mmCIF file of all heavy atoms in Angstrom:
data_model
loop_
_atom_site.group_PDB
_atom_site.id
_atom_site.type_symbol
_atom_site.label_atom_id
_atom_site.label_comp_id
_atom_site.label_asym_id
_atom_site.label_seq_id
_atom_site.Cartn_x
_atom_site.Cartn_y
_atom_site.Cartn_z
ATOM 1 N N LYS A 40 191.059 26.626 -80.149
ATOM 2 C CA LYS A 40 190.489 27.118 -81.401
ATOM 3 C C LYS A 40 190.746 26.132 -82.542
ATOM 4 O O LYS A 40 189.882 25.928 -83.398
ATOM 5 C CB LYS A 40 191.060 28.492 -81.745
ATOM 6 C CG LYS A 40 190.524 29.596 -80.865
ATOM 7 C CD LYS A 40 191.136 30.930 -81.263
ATOM 8 C CE LYS A 40 190.622 32.047 -80.402
ATOM 9 N NZ LYS A 40 191.212 33.343 -80.800
ATOM 10 N N ALA A 41 191.920 25.525 -82.547
ATOM 11 C CA ALA A 41 192.232 24.515 -83.566
ATOM 12 C C ALA A 41 191.318 23.301 -83.403
ATOM 13 O O ALA A 41 190.873 22.709 -84.394
ATOM 14 C CB ALA A 41 193.698 24.112 -83.473
ATOM 15 N N GLN A 42 191.029 22.934 -82.170
ATOM 16 C CA GLN A 42 190.110 21.830 -81.896
ATOM 17 C C GLN A 42 188.716 22.155 -82.434
ATOM 18 O O GLN A 42 188.059 21.298 -83.028
ATOM 19 C CB GLN A 42 190.066 21.549 -80.398
ATOM 20 C CG GLN A 42 189.227 20.352 -80.034
ATOM 21 C CD GLN A 42 189.208 20.082 -78.529
ATOM 22 O OE1 GLN A 42 189.854 20.772 -77.745
ATOM 23 N NE2 GLN A 42 188.465 19.088 -78.128
ATOM 24 N N VAL A 43 188.281 23.388 -82.237
ATOM 25 C CA VAL A 43 186.976 23.833 -82.749
ATOM 26 C C VAL A 43 186.945 23.697 -84.267
ATOM 27 O O VAL A 43 185.986 23.169 -84.839
ATOM 28 C CB VAL A 43 186.689 25.290 -82.319
ATOM 29 C CG1 VAL A 43 185.505 25.863 -83.081
ATOM 30 C CG2 VAL A 43 186.459 25.370 -80.824
ATOM 31 N N LYS A 44 187.995 24.154 -84.915
ATOM 32 C CA LYS A 44 188.060 24.105 -86.374
ATOM 33 C C LYS A 44 188.014 22.663 -86.884
ATOM 34 O O LYS A 44 187.282 22.357 -87.829
ATOM 35 C CB LYS A 44 189.338 24.798 -86.847
ATOM 36 C CG LYS A 44 189.464 24.904 -88.341
ATOM 37 C CD LYS A 44 190.715 25.667 -88.728
ATOM 38 C CE LYS A 44 190.842 25.764 -90.231
ATOM 39 N NZ LYS A 44 192.040 26.523 -90.624
ATOM 40 N N ARG A 45 188.785 21.774 -86.253
ATOM 41 C CA ARG A 45 188.786 20.362 -86.666
ATOM 42 C C ARG A 45 187.426 19.716 -86.449
ATOM 43 O O ARG A 45 186.952 18.948 -87.293
ATOM 44 C CB ARG A 45 189.862 19.582 -85.909
ATOM 45 C CG ARG A 45 191.272 19.884 -86.345
ATOM 46 C CD ARG A 45 192.287 18.930 -85.737
ATOM 47 N NE ARG A 45 192.168 18.799 -84.283
ATOM 48 C CZ ARG A 45 192.813 19.566 -83.407
ATOM 49 N NH1 ARG A 45 193.624 20.529 -83.821
ATOM 50 N NH2 ARG A 45 192.664 19.373 -82.117
ATOM 51 N N LEU A 46 186.781 20.014 -85.333
ATOM 52 C CA LEU A 46 185.460 19.452 -85.055
ATOM 53 C C LEU A 46 184.464 19.890 -86.118
ATOM 54 O O LEU A 46 183.746 19.064 -86.679
ATOM 55 C CB LEU A 46 184.962 19.889 -83.669
ATOM 56 C CG LEU A 46 183.514 19.522 -83.337
ATOM 57 C CD1 LEU A 46 183.341 18.008 -83.283
ATOM 58 C CD2 LEU A 46 183.094 20.170 -82.031
ATOM 59 N N ARG A 47 184.454 21.174 -86.407
ATOM 60 C CA ARG A 47 183.499 21.687 -87.394
ATOM 61 C C ARG A 47 183.746 21.078 -88.769
ATOM 62 O O ARG A 47 182.807 20.675 -89.457
ATOM 63 C CB ARG A 47 183.596 23.203 -87.460
ATOM 64 C CG ARG A 47 182.548 23.783 -88.382
ATOM 65 C CD ARG A 47 182.502 25.280 -88.306
ATOM 66 N NE ARG A 47 181.441 25.753 -89.195
ATOM 67 C CZ ARG A 47 181.483 26.886 -89.836
ATOM 68 N NH1 ARG A 47 182.506 27.709 -89.672
ATOM 69 N NH2 ARG A 47 180.505 27.243 -90.630
ATOM 70 N N GLN A 48 184.995 20.978 -89.170
ATOM 71 C CA GLN A 48 185.316 20.389 -90.465
ATOM 72 C C GLN A 48 184.872 18.926 -90.534
ATOM 73 O O GLN A 48 184.301 18.487 -91.539
ATOM 74 C CB GLN A 48 186.815 20.490 -90.747
ATOM 75 C CG GLN A 48 187.268 21.896 -91.064
ATOM 76 C CD GLN A 48 188.783 22.015 -91.166
ATOM 77 O OE1 GLN A 48 189.532 21.152 -90.721
ATOM 78 N NE2 GLN A 48 189.238 23.116 -91.758
ATOM 79 N N ALA A 49 185.128 18.167 -89.479
ATOM 80 C CA ALA A 49 184.768 16.747 -89.462
ATOM 81 C C ALA A 49 183.259 16.550 -89.503
ATOM 82 O O ALA A 49 182.753 15.698 -90.244
ATOM 83 C CB ALA A 49 185.358 16.066 -88.227
ATOM 84 N N VAL A 50 182.543 17.318 -88.716
ATOM 85 C CA VAL A 50 181.089 17.177 -88.666
ATOM 86 C C VAL A 50 180.470 17.607 -89.994
ATOM 87 O O VAL A 50 179.580 16.926 -90.518
ATOM 88 C CB VAL A 50 180.504 17.976 -87.478
ATOM 89 C CG1 VAL A 50 178.999 18.037 -87.535
ATOM 90 C CG2 VAL A 50 180.958 17.363 -86.163
ATOM 91 N N ASN A 51 180.948 18.713 -90.544
ATOM 92 C CA ASN A 51 180.436 19.163 -91.840
ATOM 93 C C ASN A 51 180.764 18.159 -92.939
ATOM 94 O O ASN A 51 179.929 17.899 -93.811
ATOM 95 C CB ASN A 51 180.975 20.552 -92.186
ATOM 96 C CG ASN A 51 180.302 21.652 -91.395
ATOM 97 O OD1 ASN A 51 179.172 21.525 -90.957
ATOM 98 N ND2 ASN A 51 181.010 22.751 -91.194
ATOM 99 N N ALA A 52 181.953 17.566 -92.903
ATOM 100 C CA ALA A 52 182.341 16.577 -93.904
ATOM 101 C C ALA A 52 181.470 15.326 -93.820
ATOM 102 O O ALA A 52 181.247 14.645 -94.826
ATOM 103 C CB ALA A 52 183.807 16.208 -93.741
ATOM 104 N N ALA A 53 180.973 15.038 -92.628
ATOM 105 C CA ALA A 53 180.098 13.879 -92.440
ATOM 106 C C ALA A 53 178.666 14.174 -92.878
ATOM 107 O O ALA A 53 177.808 13.294 -92.806
ATOM 108 C CB ALA A 53 180.116 13.441 -90.979
ATOM 109 N N GLY A 54 178.419 15.414 -93.317
ATOM 110 C CA GLY A 54 177.107 15.743 -93.847
ATOM 111 C C GLY A 54 176.149 16.399 -92.877
ATOM 112 O O GLY A 54 174.975 16.581 -93.189
ATOM 113 N N THR A 55 176.628 16.749 -91.693
ATOM 114 C CA THR A 55 175.781 17.424 -90.718
ATOM 115 C C THR A 55 176.264 18.856 -90.577
ATOM 116 O O THR A 55 177.379 19.086 -90.105
ATOM 117 C CB THR A 55 175.854 16.728 -89.344
ATOM 118 O OG1 THR A 55 175.483 15.373 -89.502
ATOM 119 C CG2 THR A 55 174.946 17.408 -88.339
ATOM 120 N N PRO A 56 175.467 19.810 -91.003
ATOM 121 C CA PRO A 56 175.895 21.211 -90.896
ATOM 122 C C PRO A 56 176.124 21.617 -89.438
ATOM 123 O O PRO A 56 175.333 21.278 -88.558
ATOM 124 C CB PRO A 56 174.727 22.003 -91.495
ATOM 125 C CG PRO A 56 173.918 21.021 -92.254
ATOM 126 C CD PRO A 56 174.143 19.687 -91.622
ATOM 127 N N MET A 57 177.230 22.314 -89.186
ATOM 128 C CA MET A 57 177.536 22.815 -87.845
ATOM 129 C C MET A 57 178.106 24.211 -88.008
ATOM 130 O O MET A 57 179.052 24.415 -88.768
ATOM 131 C CB MET A 57 178.546 21.919 -87.143
ATOM 132 C CG MET A 57 178.981 22.424 -85.778
ATOM 133 S SD MET A 57 180.155 21.334 -84.950
ATOM 134 C CE MET A 57 179.087 20.591 -83.723
ATOM 135 N N THR A 58 177.520 25.164 -87.301
ATOM 136 C CA THR A 58 178.023 26.529 -87.349
ATOM 137 C C THR A 58 179.272 26.646 -86.481
ATOM 138 O O THR A 58 179.561 25.791 -85.636
ATOM 139 C CB THR A 58 176.974 27.528 -86.841
ATOM 140 O OG1 THR A 58 176.766 27.311 -85.444
ATOM 141 C CG2 THR A 58 175.667 27.405 -87.620
ATOM 142 N N HIS A 59 179.988 27.740 -86.676
ATOM 143 C CA HIS A 59 181.177 27.989 -85.863
ATOM 144 C C HIS A 59 180.791 28.111 -84.387
ATOM 145 O O HIS A 59 181.470 27.564 -83.515
ATOM 146 C CB HIS A 59 181.880 29.260 -86.354
ATOM 147 C CG HIS A 59 183.153 29.537 -85.661
ATOM 148 N ND1 HIS A 59 184.282 28.753 -85.806
ATOM 149 C CD2 HIS A 59 183.489 30.519 -84.789
ATOM 150 C CE1 HIS A 59 185.257 29.237 -85.048
ATOM 151 N NE2 HIS A 59 184.800 30.307 -84.426
ATOM 152 N N VAL A 60 179.700 28.799 -84.122
ATOM 153 C CA VAL A 60 179.239 28.978 -82.734
ATOM 154 C C VAL A 60 178.896 27.625 -82.104
ATOM 155 O O VAL A 60 179.240 27.367 -80.942
ATOM 156 C CB VAL A 60 178.042 29.942 -82.669
ATOM 157 C CG1 VAL A 60 177.420 29.973 -81.285
ATOM 158 C CG2 VAL A 60 178.460 31.336 -83.089
ATOM 159 N N GLN A 61 178.231 26.757 -82.844
ATOM 160 C CA GLN A 61 177.910 25.423 -82.322
ATOM 161 C C GLN A 61 179.182 24.643 -82.004
ATOM 162 O O GLN A 61 179.250 23.945 -80.986
ATOM 163 C CB GLN A 61 177.057 24.646 -83.329
ATOM 164 C CG GLN A 61 175.650 25.155 -83.450
ATOM 165 C CD GLN A 61 174.897 24.515 -84.598
ATOM 166 O OE1 GLN A 61 175.456 24.252 -85.668
ATOM 167 N NE2 GLN A 61 173.609 24.255 -84.383
ATOM 168 N N ALA A 62 180.191 24.768 -82.842
ATOM 169 C CA ALA A 62 181.458 24.078 -82.594
ATOM 170 C C ALA A 62 182.156 24.645 -81.355
ATOM 171 O O ALA A 62 182.695 23.895 -80.534
ATOM 172 C CB ALA A 62 182.368 24.177 -83.816
ATOM 173 N N LEU A 63 182.134 25.974 -81.202
ATOM 174 C CA LEU A 63 182.719 26.595 -80.009
ATOM 175 C C LEU A 63 182.064 26.062 -78.743
ATOM 176 O O LEU A 63 182.740 25.684 -77.771
ATOM 177 C CB LEU A 63 182.551 28.117 -80.064
ATOM 178 C CG LEU A 63 183.387 28.893 -81.058
ATOM 179 C CD1 LEU A 63 182.893 30.339 -81.143
ATOM 180 C CD2 LEU A 63 184.859 28.849 -80.698
ATOM 181 N N GLU A 64 180.745 26.026 -78.738
ATOM 182 C CA GLU A 64 180.008 25.584 -77.552
ATOM 183 C C GLU A 64 180.227 24.093 -77.293
ATOM 184 O O GLU A 64 180.315 23.667 -76.132
ATOM 185 C CB GLU A 64 178.523 25.909 -77.697
ATOM 186 C CG GLU A 64 178.227 27.397 -77.815
ATOM 187 C CD GLU A 64 178.743 28.234 -76.648
ATOM 188 O OE1 GLU A 64 178.588 27.818 -75.486
ATOM 189 O OE2 GLU A 64 179.304 29.316 -76.911
ATOM 190 N N ALA A 65 180.331 23.295 -78.346
ATOM 191 C CA ALA A 65 180.563 21.853 -78.176
ATOM 192 C C ALA A 65 181.920 21.594 -77.540
ATOM 193 O O ALA A 65 182.044 20.760 -76.630
ATOM 194 C CB ALA A 65 180.463 21.142 -79.529
ATOM 195 N N VAL A 66 182.939 22.301 -77.987
ATOM 196 C CA VAL A 66 184.274 22.132 -77.402
ATOM 197 C C VAL A 66 184.279 22.601 -75.952
ATOM 198 O O VAL A 66 184.856 21.948 -75.080
ATOM 199 C CB VAL A 66 185.341 22.853 -78.245
ATOM 200 C CG1 VAL A 66 186.675 22.933 -77.515
ATOM 201 C CG2 VAL A 66 185.511 22.134 -79.585
ATOM 202 N N ALA A 67 183.608 23.701 -75.685
ATOM 203 C CA ALA A 67 183.525 24.181 -74.297
ATOM 204 C C ALA A 67 182.891 23.131 -73.398
ATOM 205 O O ALA A 67 183.384 22.849 -72.297
ATOM 206 C CB ALA A 67 182.730 25.482 -74.243
ATOM 207 N N TYR A 68 181.813 22.537 -73.858
ATOM 208 C CA TYR A 68 181.135 21.502 -73.089
ATOM 209 C C TYR A 68 182.056 20.307 -72.844
ATOM 210 O O TYR A 68 182.104 19.766 -71.748
ATOM 211 C CB TYR A 68 179.864 21.062 -73.814
ATOM 212 C CG TYR A 68 179.113 19.975 -73.094
ATOM 213 C CD1 TYR A 68 178.336 20.268 -71.979
ATOM 214 C CD2 TYR A 68 179.195 18.654 -73.508
ATOM 215 C CE1 TYR A 68 177.657 19.273 -71.297
ATOM 216 C CE2 TYR A 68 178.524 17.647 -72.832
ATOM 217 C CZ TYR A 68 177.759 17.967 -71.729
ATOM 218 O OH TYR A 68 177.104 16.971 -71.058
#
């Protein structure tokens, strides 16, 4: 879950919107 949170924060900070669900699925993959 912490990995999901860091991924979402980093991607959003880079200017690409990412939902929580998208971050969950990306980490799962």
Side-chain angles (χ1 to χ4, degrees):
K40 287 180 180 180
Q42 185 179 358
V43 168
K44 184 177 180 179
R45 287 190 309 270
L46 172 64
R47 185 172 182 212
Q48 288 173 344
V50 171
N51 285 334
T55 303
M57 176 179 255
T58 67
H59 185 68
V60 171
Q61 289 171 323
L63 288 169
E64 298 303 316
V66 168
Y68 179 77

